[in-house]
Every structure is written in structure tokens, then in C-alpha cells.
Amino acid sequence: MSGTCEGRGPTAGTPRYSAGPPTTERHAPCPSAGAVGSEPHGYRAAFLAATLPMAVVDHEGLVVTANEALGGLLGRSAATLASQSAADLLDLAADGRTWHAYREVLHGRRSRFRCTRRLKHPDGRALWAEVTVVPMPEREAGAEGGAGPGRVLLSVSDISDRRELQKRLRHLQMHDPVTRLPNRTLFFERLSAVLETSPHDDGSSGRGRVGLCYLDLDGFKAVNDTMGHRIGDRLLTAVAARLTDCAAQDGPHRDGAHLVARLGGDEFAILVEDSAGTQQLTDLARSVLAALQQPFDLAGHRISVSASIGVVERAVAGTSATGLMQAADTTLYWAKADGKARWTLFDPERNAHRMTRQTLSSTLRPAVERGEFTIEYQPLVCMADGVVRGVEALVRWNHPQFGMLSPNRFVAIAEEDGSIVQLGRWVLQSACRQARRWQLEHPADPPLFISVNVAVRQVWDSDLVTDVAEILAETGLDPSLLQLELTESAVMGSAGQPIQALRSLSKMGVRIAIDDFGTGYSNLAYLSRLPVSVLKLDGSFVRGFRYDDGVHPSPADETIVEAMVQLAHRLGLTVTAECVETAGQAERLRRIGCDTGQGWLYSRAVAPERIGELIGTRPMQG
């Protein structure tokens, strides 16, 4: 804090003022400043006539003499201040640090002391005063009150105007100029103070919980773009007013309403100190949504907006400002992703899944290079004779942190970030190499075909036809022993490059299978124009064939599956039933006409060594 006097004062006992011509100093006037000579009456006259409130204080802290300016400041005559405790007059004992520093100067162990105090003016108004205490040389001290060691000069400056200016500047610095709400800086200052203060520090019965509603407006950019920033600013101001009303209605029993802040752009936050629990926060979020759904009339424009709100409520203990805001930001993102115009409560399990997903995404590409992926194979069994005809290659990630992960944990991530191209080529190459190895190890038995899943992004982002041709040439596997599986939704909605690639692969002799058939577009007319060899019925149809706890299987499922099988056969396609788990299912699917079955009835996905043991053996159960 800056003050009237600057720099270090002299140590106790060192002469500060010398006799001589008048001098001008930039610090507070002292007894020698303005003296007309070295005579004692000159110092005393300057002291008494000074407009700066001053007093000489002895080593016990009692006022020896004071000028009228100090008496006027305190609303008393200067004479009545003599023998009074300066600390009591100026509230210097209010806190331990100030009292200690003041005593250090009185006892000659400190050369200067300065503090700021809030005093009451005689007219009733409060004023801010800067109190400065410096030791006095014995000669000057004696001139003011007789001989006596250890006396100090105390001066008081009214800094109320400066404090008011600082207050106004801080307000401008801490508030948003458009909405007049607290800005991001003040919000985080308040939030940090809430989290750093124990709920029982003030002796209250606080619950020690904090809540946050973090929201942004849906489609605000469109308002700015179509109506201009002037209308956009008016809308932000109107939104701020409604948020403030909601906060005031929710917290009238507290010391003021909840803190409403604009964090930037169209983002706002409502901080709920001493939260009563999740119910309070969700009720507040509902009221905010209801308030914002009412149209705004702005300069002749009727504007309707909505908001997405992330709601977080937790104990203060163990919570950091960064952690709370990260949770709020994540939850706001969920609200947006779930459809906007809604509030979403923070879910630790969902967040853990998100964090795991983020970790997997950041380590997926290096994992391919480090060889963390393996392939297991699930038999594809002829339903007529129970003999293994082929296998489906299923990739697994042996993650060093999360253990063995199935494809549904990481394939979607790989498709999003493009690493599926690198991973998919590795799977295709490894599976073809393994199929060729089985063929060489069992030359007397019919070779197994290998079925490999292909993501549509592999077709768009790489030259799949060239990759397949190179891998087949490298491994020596016949194209007829390779089957590529694509999902129905990926194939049916594609055009251009993907279809051309599939046709080229089909001409090469590679079989094309549509996976999960019956759950996507189901455009049968489009299906007839695709170079498809196999339909794989989605497991949801096959599950309807089970007798579970005495419940009869669904006749509708059987009718649908039978119709799809007949249609496929008329188009020259074969049909594979997925998720076959019981002998009853297998029998009914065989009767309907399914060509191939796959599921736990026959085998789970296993290591390649186990598949080698099945080649040339008796038919599998089913």
C-alpha cells in the first residue's frame, strides 16, 4: 500500500532534522518542516499550525502533545488528547500484526510504521486514514514536550478520496461493461474465497457445500450475425437481469443473493454458496430455463432463446476452483450434446467414462506402434453340418492401464480420430497372414475363410482396394478366402467412392458382408445394387428365438428372419446369424434356412492356436 511518506525512516537515535533554512520534503510535514529557525518555538509553531493531523507519542504510547488538526479529525480539542493512548484513538490495536509493528517503533526496534485505518469523522461519516509513525530525535522531541527518550511522531492523512477512486477502479476492473455483472476475474476470486474458507470459520452452522450452474445461450451467435452486436448486447443485458432475479428468489434467506457472473461471450455462472444440496441446484436450473424461455422484446424485435446448463454440487472440502469449473464445463457439454435447452447434473460415472475415453484417444495411435493390440478369432459354423467354415477376426487392446479391452471400447474412438485407418490395415494384414498360416499347416483340410471388419472411414481416408491387393499378394491368401464386413448404416448411406471401392474388391474375388443387417436403413432396393455376398443378421433378431424362464420366443422375430433369409437367398446371398447361444436357437435358424451361425453356442473368440485345433475335427455343437 502506498502512503504519504516514502522510503525507510532513520533508525532510533539518528538525527533526522537539522537546524537551517526551511526545506521541502515529499513526505508528511514533520516538526522541522516549515520551521523559521532552529529555536524550539519555531518547531512548535510549525507543529501546531500544520494542517496535517499530528501528535508526539512517548515510548509507552501515550500522547504527549497533539495539534488542532488531529483534534479536529477526532472531534475533540487538542488539549484533551494529552495522556491518551494513541492506539486507542486510532484503533492501532485492532489486529496483532499492526499492534506489534507499532510497538516495535515505540521501542526503537523499527524505523518506520505505516497502516491504514477506518475511522469515524465527527460529522458521522466514515473515513479512511493512513497512519504513519516515525521516531523523533531527542532534540526535537524535547522541543515539543520536554526532555524524554523514545518519542515518536504520529501523523494521519485522510485518504478517503484515494480509497474511493481505488474502489471505483476495482469495480470497473471486476465487472462486465455490458451486463454490469461480476466478470470472470471477480467470479474466480469469490469462488476461491468460498473454497478456501472453512464453513465453520465464522461460527455459523454452514453445511460446507457449494453449487454452480454454468450456462450458455443456445444459438446466440445467430442473433449477433443476423441482428447485429447492438441487439446482441441488449439480449445479454436482459438475460443477466432474469438470471439475477432467479438468483434473488432462490436465496433471500442468505446474506444477499447468489453471485451471478458473466464469464465471457454468452456464458454465465450462478455460484451458490452454502448449498442446501443437489435439489436446490436443480430447482434453480429449472427456474432459469423457465425464465429464459419467455420471449425478449428488444428494440422492436421479439427474440426467443434457450440455454444449456451444467449443474455441479459438491462438498467444499477437497474441491478446487479448477476442478469445480472443469466439472461444470464437462456437464455443460453434456447438456449441449443431449439436445440443448436443458440442464444436466454432473455424473461421476459418466465423467469417469469420458476421462477413460480421453485417455484411450490420446494413446491409441502409439499403442498400434507399440504392438499392444492382439486378434482373437470366433468360428463361423455351417448350420447344416456343424463344421467350421471360417472365422471372424476380432481385435483386442491389451491396454497397460485398463487391461484387455474389447472393440466396443475403442473402435468408435479410432474412427473419430482417424487412427482406424492405421489400426484397420494392421488387423487386415495380421488376419490374412494368420489365415494363410492355417492353410499351410492343414493342407488336407478345406481352408478357412477370414472375415475382417472394415470401417467406412477406411474406404474414405485410404486406398482400401490397393491395401487389400498388396496384403493378399504379400500373404499369398486367395481373395475368395477374404470376407470384409461393413455395417448396414455405413454401406446403405454411402455413394461414390465407397461403392466404387466395394465393386472393385468384389471383382477381385473378395466377399463383401453387411454386418448387423436389419437395424439400419434396410433399403432393400438399394441392397440389390450393391456388390454384397453375405448378410449377417443382427443379434437382436436371434435373441427373440430363445426360451427364457418359460417365455415363448417372439413369432414376429421368426417371421421377420424367415422373410429376410428368403429374400437374401433369392438375391443370391448367404445369411449368417449372429449371437447364437442355445441349441434351440440353432435348430430353428437352421430350419428357417440360415447358412452360417456364430455365437457362444459354438465358441467365444479365442486365440489362433485354439482355432488350429478345430480345423479338421468333428462338427461343433449346434
Side-chain angles (χ1 to χ4, degrees):
M1 182 185 303
S2 61
T4 304
C5 297
E6 303 293 338
R8 289 180 58 86
T11 57
T14 303
R16 175 182 176 89
Y17 309 106
S18 59
T23 60
T24 302
E25 300 186 22
R26 64 188 181 97
H27 49 69
C30 296
S32 59
V36 296
S38 60
E39 295 80 0
H41 66 82
Y43 291 108
R44 184 169 185 78
F47 174 79
L48 296 176
T51 57
L52 180 69
M54 293 187 292
V56 175
V57 179
D58 65 19
H59 69 283
E60 294 182 354
L62 302 179
V63 175
V64 176
T65 182
N67 64 3
E68 291 298 331
L70 181 61
L73 179 71
L74 299 178
R76 302 170 59 174
S77 66
T80 62
L81 298 179
S83 299
Q84 298 292 313
S85 168
D88 293 341
L89 294 173
L90 300 174
D91 197 27
L92 299 181
D95 63 83
R97 175 181 291 185
T98 298
W99 173 247
H100 176 74
Y102 171 63
R103 298 291 296 175
E104 289 285 287
V105 177
L106 292 182
H107 296 155
R109 294 190 292 268
R110 181 170 176 158
S111 62
R112 177 184 294 270
F113 163 69
R114 179 183 296 145
C115 69
T116 301
R117 279 290 174 268
R118 192 169 184 270
L119 305 177
K120 187 174 183 179
H121 195 273
D123 61 10
R125 63 183 174 88
L127 63 86
W128 286 95
E130 185 175 79
V131 180
T132 303
V133 182
V134 296
M136 292 182 61
E138 292 186 10
R139 178 177 179 183
E140 283 82 348
E144 289 306 323
R151 292 182 176 177
V152 298
L153 177 67
L154 182 149
S155 59
V156 184
S157 299
D158 186 346
I159 60 170
S160 299
D161 291 342
R162 186 201 310 171
R163 293 279 298 200
E164 181 62 27
L165 177 60
Q166 290 174 342
K167 181 179 178 181
R168 292 180 181 177
L169 292 176
R170 174 176 168 79
H171 183 86
L172 292 174
Q173 180 186 10
M174 296 294 186
H175 287 75
D176 171 49
V178 175
T179 63
R180 308 300 180 186
L181 290 177
N183 60 15
R184 175 179 290 268
T185 302
L186 181 54
F187 172 81
F188 275 99
E189 183 179 286
R190 176 84 164 264
L191 175 59
S192 298
V194 170
L195 297 178
E196 291 171 1
T197 304
S198 167
H200 303 291
D201 281 354
D202 58 358
S204 67
S205 57
R207 284 172 286 270
R209 302 191 67 84
V210 63
L212 178 64
C213 289
Y214 183 34
L215 65 105
D216 77 2
L217 304 181
D218 301 323
F220 175 73
K221 184 178 184 299
V223 175
N224 268 344
D225 292 344
T226 58
M227 299 183 180
H229 289 273
R230 184 175 65 88
I231 298 299
D233 287 349
R234 288 191 177 185
L235 176 59
L236 291 175
T237 302
V239 168
R242 293 191 185 181
L243 294 179
T244 302
D245 288 343
C246 291
Q249 293 171 12
D250 183 67
H253 59 287
R254 291 171 173 80
D255 296 333
H258 310 313
L259 176 69
V260 181
R262 181 190 177 197
L263 303 188
D266 60 342
E267 296 181 358
F268 296 84
I270 304 178
L271 178 63
V272 179
E273 301 178 31
D274 190 21
S275 164
T278 300
Q279 187 64 47
Q280 180 188 11
L281 269 296
T282 55
D283 287 346
L284 176 59
R286 289 190 186 94
S287 69
V288 168
L289 285 180
L292 296 183
Q293 285 173 354
Q294 300 299 317
F296 294 85
D297 292 315
L298 304 172
H301 298 279
R302 189 172 178 83
I303 302 174
S304 295
V305 298
S306 62
S308 300
I309 308 177
V311 180
V312 183
E313 199 278 341
R314 58 182 53 172
V316 170
T319 298
S320 67
T322 301
L324 187 67
M325 290 306 299
Q326 286 178 341
D329 186 64
T330 297
T331 312
L332 174 59
Y333 171 80
W334 293 343
K336 291 281 190 184
D338 292 343
K340 301 182 179 181
R342 67 190 62 215
W343 60 265
T344 300
L345 183 65
F346 181 77
D347 181 354
E349 291 187 7
R350 186 175 180 180
N351 186 61
H353 176 74
R354 181 188 69 88
M355 296 298 293
T356 300
R357 182 182 177 88
Q358 184 176 352
T359 300
L360 295 179
S361 177
S362 63
T363 58
L364 203 154
R365 288 180 184 273
V368 178
E369 301 171 357
R370 290 193 297 264
E372 295 179 3
F373 291 91
T374 60
I375 301 177
E376 293 182 343
Y377 300 88
Q378 187 170 32
L380 294 164
V381 179
C382 176
M383 303 200 77
D385 57 17
V387 175
V388 177
R389 301 297 186 186
V391 293
E392 180 180 355
L394 299 171
V395 64
R396 304 285 190 259
W397 186 357
N398 189 11
H399 195 280
Q401 179 180 353
F402 302 113
M404 192 67 73
L405 302 179
S406 59
N408 62 349
R409 293 289 301 276
F410 59 85
V411 167
I413 301 173
E415 291 178 351
E416 288 178 6
D417 65 14
S419 59
I420 191 66
V421 174
Q422 179 187 12
L423 177 60
R425 194 181 194 284
W426 176 84
V427 172
L428 181 62
Q429 184 180 47
S430 300
C432 289
R433 187 179 292 123
Q434 181 60 61
R436 178 59 175 163
R437 185 178 300 119
W438 285 324
Q439 184 180 9
L440 295 175
E441 291 174 351
H442 302 272
D445 297 305
L448 300 181
F449 71 86
I450 188 80
S451 188
V452 180
N453 291 277
V454 175
V456 70
R457 187 162 183 174
Q458 289 178 255
V459 185
W460 281 108
D461 294 358
S462 68
D463 190 345
L464 181 62
V465 177
T466 300
D467 285 347
V468 170
E470 290 178 350
I471 290 172
L472 291 175
E474 171 195 337
T475 59
L477 186 69
D478 189 277
S480 63
L481 297 177
L482 175 61
Q483 175 175 292
L484 299 181
E485 296 186 19
L486 291 90
T487 62
E488 179 184 355
S489 57
V491 175
M492 293 300 190
S494 302
Q497 180 180 343
I499 299 302
Q500 293 300 323
L502 295 182
R503 286 174 178 164
S504 297
L505 290 167
S506 181
K507 290 179 181 179
M508 192 186 301
V510 175
R511 293 193 292 182
I512 306 298
I514 296 183
D515 196 13
D516 300 330
F517 185 76
T519 61
Y521 292 86
S522 298
N523 188 331
L524 300 180
Y526 194 59
L527 175 64
S528 66
R529 295 192 293 270
L530 290 173
V532 176
S533 305
V534 181
L535 295 184
K536 298 189 72 175
L537 298 181
D538 185 72
S540 60
F541 294 107
V542 178
R543 292 189 188 97
F545 282 53
R546 293 189 59 172
Y547 286 88
D548 290 327
D549 299 327
V551 178
H552 292 285
S554 168
D557 283 344
E558 183 169 350
T559 301
I560 292 172
V561 170
E562 185 174 7
M564 287 192 293
V565 170
Q566 292 177 359
L567 174 64
H569 285 169
R570 290 192 178 188
L571 293 174
L573 309 178
T574 60
V575 179
T576 298
E578 299 180 303
C579 301
V580 181
E581 298 179 357
T582 68
Q585 284 177 311
E587 175 58 31
R588 299 182 69 218
L589 289 167
R590 179 168 49 248
R591 188 173 64 248
I592 286 173
C594 283
D595 302 285
T596 310
Q598 176 182 2
W600 289 0
L601 172 65
Y602 306 109
S603 174
R604 296 173 182 261
V606 295
E609 295 79 13
R610 293 287 307 280
I611 297 297
E613 297 171 1
L614 298 176
I615 299 176
T617 61
R618 62 181 176 82
M620 302 191 72
Q621 181 183 0

